[in-house]
Amino acid sequence: MSAHVLDNPIWHSLISRHLDLAQRHEPAARYPAQIAPFLGVASVPADAAEALSGAFAALVPPEDTALLLGVPPPATPGWELRHLANLAQMVCAAPVAGETDPDGIVELGPDQREDVLALTALVYPHYFRPRTMELGRYFGFYREGRLAAMAGERMGTHDYIELSAICTHPDFLGLGYARRLLLFLANDNHARGRIPFLHVSRENPRAIGLYERNGFELRRDIPFWALRRSAAAD
């Protein structure tokens, strides 16, 4: 039985929806570092270490760390693969009933980029880069002249779309902004024929509860990995 595309979401995103952004060196591909730290590997046999080593060397500079989701590649000499966590991968299989009125929701673009980077640096650090907004659409609420909450689209294929950067400024918690953005994006993507999914840390039960109450169900726990050159190779 062939694996589901969501079992290897980074790779399948880079060979489909984000093909034009991919830096590719068979049998691997990655996003440019200014967009995202993610790298994907095709399904390869255990004896593909030499090909993988060459691909990793071409795609991951000595000072860089790439992040992977799903089944890890086979052991590759000169490279350290460290398991970071198991994330909850959740899917919204059908449109969700609820408040999806777009009133007050604004699409975020280049003019709002500095506001987006300031909010994500505060509450969503590490994964949001200067060019991350090129991955999809981003939306938010402004209150008191500040970006109070946001959510957007990240990885995906032509049939699935990952919702990401769902976050609220600490000064505006409890006002329902994240929920409205989540429902708006989930239902809008269903209307476009795409199934929303997302990844969330098992150490964030508050967020998991929000997603469960709003149409998302656990698909699987998916391992999250960091790849860097081994100390001996540095």
Side-chain angles (χ1 to χ4, degrees):
M1 181 183 296
S2 61
H4 195 284
V5 295
L6 294 188
D7 292 333
N8 195 356
I10 298 173
W11 172 255
H12 285 286
S13 182
L14 286 164
I15 63 171
S16 60
R17 182 169 179 264
H18 288 147
L19 180 62
D20 60 331
L21 297 176
Q23 296 177 343
R24 193 162 173 177
H25 193 293
E26 296 293 342
R30 71 164 295 168
Y31 290 98
Q34 288 289 298
I35 293 180
F38 303 122
L39 179 147
V41 177
S43 297
V44 293
D47 61 0
E50 183 175 350
L52 279 171
S53 182
F56 294 160
L59 296 170
V60 186
E63 71 282 1
D64 196 10
T65 296
L67 303 177
L68 299 85
L69 271 173
V71 178
T76 307
W79 294 88
E80 174 191 349
L81 189 69
R82 181 165 60 94
H83 180 249
L84 299 175
N86 286 331
L87 304 181
Q89 185 183 77
M90 306 182 75
V91 173
C92 180
V96 185
E99 178 57 64
T100 58
D101 184 354
D103 184 50
I105 297 176
V106 298
E107 185 162 5
L108 305 172
D111 291 343
Q112 293 79 36
R113 189 179 74 153
E114 293 307 315
D115 295 339
V116 168
L117 292 175
L119 177 57
T120 53
L122 180 66
V123 299
Y124 193 79
H126 309 305
Y127 306 119
F128 210 94
R129 302 291 176 85
R131 293 175 55 200
T132 296
M133 293 177 73
E134 295 178 27
L135 295 178
R137 301 175 301 157
Y138 287 82
F139 297 87
F141 282 102
Y142 274 87
R143 294 295 182 267
E144 302 173 8
R146 293 184 290 167
L147 183 60
M150 62 171 284
E153 301 165 339
R154 193 167 61 179
M155 294 179 288
T157 66
H158 302 303
D159 299 316
Y160 293 89
I161 188 75
E162 183 195 29
L163 305 189
S164 181
I166 303 165
C167 57
T168 304
H169 191 286
D171 291 347
F172 299 98
L173 292 172
L175 299 177
Y177 296 147
R179 178 176 183 270
R180 284 188 60 190
L181 289 165
L182 176 70
L183 293 182
F184 169 76
L185 264 178
N187 286 345
D188 181 76
N189 274 290
H190 272 294
R192 295 166 183 260
R194 299 183 296 214
I195 297 175
F197 70 103
L198 53 81
H199 298 100
V200 58
S201 169
R202 280 294 190 180
E203 297 180 0
N204 192 349
R206 182 174 179 272
I208 291 175
L210 169 69
Y211 303 142
E212 288 177 335
R213 292 191 299 273
N214 291 282
F216 284 79
E217 296 182 347
L218 179 67
R219 178 179 176 268
R220 61 165 294 188
D221 283 337
I222 187 165
F224 189 36
W225 307 85
L227 176 75
R228 68 179 304 274
R229 294 171 190 258
S230 64
D234 288 342

